[in-house]
Amino acid sequence: MSKANDTVVRAVAELAGEGLPPFCVVFVAWGPDVERTRALIRALDVERYFSWIGPLRKRGLLDAYRCADAVIDQFLLPCIGGVAVEALAVGKAPVIT
């Protein structure tokens, strides 16, 4: 069930202060890692780069993929997950996994 969100949080912490244009990573508040992810974001002092939304119904999720500049899927399995497939199916690229 873990999505390895810490990988994303640590990458953002490394990118912070690199002169990049403003960006925001949107996490869905779902799964066993939510509180650990929030704690890591606070510990690395990168709260300004993250926002949280609640779980979405399928239509809302597909709309969210379409609005994003990129979609990030899980990093633990050695294959793409359902999020990547759905995002690609609605024409969203890039997908990072």
Side-chain angles (χ1 to χ4, degrees):
M1 296 294 289
S2 177
K3 296 285 190 177
N5 289 342
D6 63 301
T7 303
V8 176
V9 175
R10 293 177 197 287
V12 168
E14 285 188 33
L15 292 171
E18 292 292 321
L20 297 173
F23 66 93
C24 180
V25 175
V26 179
F27 277 139
V28 177
W30 180 87
D33 294 335
V34 171
E35 290 310 315
R36 285 186 300 247
T37 301
R38 289 181 193 267
L40 181 60
I41 289 168
R42 282 190 302 274
L44 296 176
D45 193 28
V46 290
E47 293 98 329
R48 66 191 170 280
Y49 297 103
F50 293 90
S51 66
W52 292 84
I53 60 172
L56 301 168
R57 293 179 187 256
K58 186 61 71 178
R59 175 65 187 219
L61 187 58
L62 297 177
D63 288 343
Y65 295 155
R66 287 184 190 101
C67 291
D69 291 318
V71 174
I72 302 172
D73 196 2
Q74 59 83 27
F75 291 102
L76 291 180
L77 300 175
C79 60
I80 64 171
V83 168
V85 172
E86 290 175 346
L88 290 169
V90 299
K92 180 47 61 186
V95 173
I96 302 165
T97 186

